Amino acid sequence: MKKLMPKRLSAFLAVFTILFSFCTLNIYSSGNINICVNGKYLNLDVPPIIESGRTLVPVRGVFESINADVEWLPESQKVKISKGGSIITLNINSNVAYINQESVKLDVPARIVDGRTLVPIRFISESIGASVGWDDTTRTVIINMDSNDAEVKKFEFNGNVGTLIGVSLKDIIKAFGEPDRIDLSKYGFDWYIYNNDLQRYIQIGIKNDKVVGVFTNSLYYKLNGSVGVGTDNISVDKKFGECVEYIKRENTFYMIDNSDEHKMYNINDEYFVTVFFDIFDDNKVTSYLLIDCQTEQAFDGYYGKPSEELRISYEREVFDLANAVRVRNGLTPFIWNDEIAAVARAHSKDMVLNNYFSHANLQEESPFDRMEKVGIGYTSAGENIAMGQTEAIFAHEAWMNSHGHRLNILGSFERLGVGIYIGDYDEIAYTQNFYTPPTR
């Protein structure tokens, strides 16, 4: 039995006063420009402008009138517009925009005028399914959009999980069906678990009826089209650039523990993705976790709030992840066993409450002693333990990058029980007990 060293996390806490200097470009057209949306004229606090033959309009005043979500990201000077299956991101003063992470060249960039963000109206409108016209006589931009938002632009999942962030729960149910289970995440949102087909295992995080997170270790999905399970780490770095070194939450900087086993990247200020690598398979991608920027930046600390619901969720996810990776390797899934799970859970609790990390407890009982003590017979058995990993996904991936623990997960055992204990002070222990019962 090999010991998986506890995960050590450190936070660099600092408070800074940061002064930003913004340069705004004031451009005005001659004469008034009117905006008419679905037959209704809008009264805007900042008038539209014309630049290089393109009309720019205040983003909130126009697009919130057609029920689009508008989000301003001040630190990166970006605006994000979401509606239906489309997410458009524009950088201020940049001629490059993104539609669902795909780059598009603009004739004119978004601007800041009199404290308001102005964007090219035709590009945005047509990107979210609206029709745009121009009445030269009245100098009016005419936007028409079906009042039924769901029918404006139907979301169609093409296997690119990056496009799921921001999608409505209604569209997720249409694409994936009802979840097989709903778990609690450390962030407080719900994980919709799809585990009926372990080859297509996926967790979709839902908050306020929208997708804020995704995790998968399936070969059937991709991340941003070209990155998926089996992609080498060099290609990932080339695709996503520099790793995220820290996340700023208000005035606190939380350091990110990047390593050969996992790295975090910021994708267009829309979401953070942690890519997990398999060091036993030439450092190729083995899974990835996406959390939208707003959710990640609003999270306090590294660990979730201790609760019975979170503990149960982690136990079920550790079990699912073990089975998903077994199926991916052509192996039979484990069978869950409540008795052995209780043994595992008791050991995790004992380690946290008595401040030790070992397969043998303070009474010098081995995992096999503890199994026999409750009457569990076996022809073969094993145990994995971990301590300090911030959530179930990280614990599983740490085990898979440790030779002995990996052998247990991909071994010939038939049954598995998972037991987790979450303490009050960011203390968390994970135990997996494997065994094959005697032949009767």
Side-chain angles (χ1 to χ4, degrees):
M1 296 178 292
K2 285 193 175 181
K3 174 179 175 182
L4 181 63
M5 295 302 293
K7 188 74 172 177
R8 302 299 181 190
L9 298 174
S10 61
F12 172 64
L13 306 180
V15 178
F16 295 92
T17 300
I18 303 175
L19 300 178
F20 292 98
S21 176
F22 299 133
C23 178
T24 62
L25 179 64
N26 293 312
I27 305 172
Y28 296 95
S29 63
S30 58
N32 294 326
I33 299 174
N34 302 304
I35 306 294
C36 180
V37 178
N38 289 338
K40 180 180 179 180
Y41 282 85
L42 302 183
N43 184 19
L44 303 172
D45 56 356
V46 173
I49 64 173
I50 293 179
E51 180 182 347
S52 301
R54 294 288 183 261
T55 303
L56 285 78
V57 299
V59 61
R60 288 195 185 276
V62 174
F63 293 101
E64 287 184 349
S65 72
I66 54 176
N67 298 321
D69 292 326
V70 178
E71 181 181 1
W72 169 244
L73 306 171
E75 290 188 5
S76 56
Q77 291 283 278
K78 294 183 180 182
V79 62
K80 183 166 71 173
I81 303 163
S82 306
K83 187 171 178 64
S86 297
I87 301 175
I88 302 103
T89 306
L90 299 94
N91 291 40
I92 299 301
N93 299 326
S94 171
N95 285 86
V96 178
Y98 294 88
I99 302 176
N100 295 334
Q101 290 90 51
E102 297 295 328
S103 61
V104 179
K105 189 173 182 179
L106 300 174
D107 293 330
V108 294
R111 302 289 193 193
I112 295 179
V113 175
D114 293 341
R116 293 289 185 268
T117 302
L118 274 64
V119 297
I121 190 168
R122 181 176 292 277
F123 167 74
I124 302 297
S125 299
E126 292 180 349
S127 296
I128 59 177
S131 62
V132 183
W134 169 256
D135 186 332
D136 193 52
T137 303
T138 60
R139 295 181 61 77
T140 300
V141 177
I142 302 169
I143 302 174
N144 287 306
M145 191 163 208
D146 193 323
S147 60
N148 185 347
D149 292 345
E151 298 300 323
V152 171
K153 187 167 184 177
K154 293 182 179 179
F155 171 73
E156 294 182 1
F157 180 55
N158 61 2
N160 180 355
V161 299
T163 64
L164 295 178
I165 299 295
V167 169
S168 70
L169 174 58
K170 184 177 180 180
D171 283 331
I172 291 299
I173 299 301
K174 285 182 179 179
F176 293 89
E178 293 292 338
D180 300 302
R181 188 180 74 239
I182 297 178
D183 286 348
L184 178 66
S185 75
K186 74 173 188 178
Y187 298 91
F189 63 70
D190 289 331
W191 277 123
Y192 278 48
I193 307 293
Y194 293 89
N195 65 359
N196 185 54
D197 181 356
L198 289 169
Q199 294 187 72
R200 290 175 169 80
Y201 181 82
I202 191 168
Q203 300 179 196
I204 301 177
I206 301 294
K207 181 179 181 180
N208 297 329
D209 291 334
K210 286 192 175 181
V211 176
V212 295
V214 181
F215 171 82
T216 186
N217 58 6
S218 171
L219 292 165
Y220 286 85
Y221 303 123
K222 292 289 185 181
L223 174 61
N224 280 1
S226 60
V227 174
V229 172
T231 303
D232 65 89
N233 60 340
I234 296 175
S235 297
V236 174
D237 284 335
K238 287 181 179 179
K239 176 73 173 179
F240 298 137
E242 295 293 326
C243 295
V244 175
E245 296 182 1
Y246 60 84
I247 293 178
K248 181 175 179 289
R249 297 164 180 157
E250 295 184 348
N251 291 321
T252 302
F253 289 76
Y254 289 83
M255 305 308 295
I256 302 302
D257 182 25
N258 295 302
S259 68
D260 290 339
E261 298 182 14
H262 52 79
K263 296 179 180 179
M264 178 184 279
Y265 304 88
N266 183 330
I267 309 301
N268 301 325
D269 286 327
E270 293 182 20
Y271 59 85
F272 295 101
V273 58
T274 300
V275 181
F276 296 90
F277 300 97
D278 188 342
I279 65 172
F280 294 102
D281 187 21
D282 298 324
N283 292 307
K284 293 178 181 177
V285 175
T286 188
S287 65
Y288 35 91
L289 169 67
L290 292 68
I291 302 293
D292 87 326
C293 286
Q294 187 175 12
T295 300
E296 186 67 72
Q297 290 165 343
F299 185 61
D300 183 17
Y302 294 101
Y303 296 84
K305 183 178 180 181
S307 70
E308 185 72 359
E309 184 181 4
L310 187 62
R311 177 192 66 76
I312 293 171
S313 295
Y314 282 178
E315 289 182 354
R316 295 188 298 194
E317 287 165 27
V318 167
F319 180 74
D320 280 347
L321 294 173
N323 277 339
V325 77
R326 282 178 67 84
V327 169
R328 200 174 78 192
N329 282 273
L331 302 172
T332 303
F334 291 120
I335 299 170
W336 176 269
N337 183 269
D338 284 329
E339 289 181 308
I340 200 71
V343 173
R345 194 173 302 122
H347 187 58
S348 290
K349 182 177 181 179
D350 193 43
M351 286 193 293
V352 170
L353 296 184
N354 291 294
N355 193 29
Y356 72 93
F357 183 73
S358 173
H359 290 285
N361 61 22
L362 298 183
Q363 289 73 44
E364 298 185 357
E365 294 174 328
S366 71
F368 317 112
D369 294 329
R370 295 191 293 271
M371 292 172 63
E372 292 170 1
K373 193 173 182 179
V374 296
I376 297 175
Y378 56 87
T379 57
S380 60
E383 180 179 84
N384 286 345
I385 58 175
M387 184 175 282
Q389 284 75 13
T390 56
E391 57 183 304
I393 293 167
F394 280 82
H396 168 78
E397 296 298 349
W399 279 327
M400 288 300 295
N401 275 322
S402 173
H403 182 67
H405 303 88
R406 182 189 186 95
L407 288 179
N408 280 342
I409 293 172
L410 299 180
S412 59
F413 302 114
E414 294 180 3
R415 299 184 184 181
L416 170 62
V418 180
I420 294 171
Y421 184 79
I422 306 174
D424 293 329
Y425 303 101
D426 293 344
E427 301 166 308
I428 183 168
Y430 307 80
T431 301
Q432 289 178 313
N433 282 134
F434 310 83
Y435 79 105
T436 298
T439 303
R440 294 181 180 178

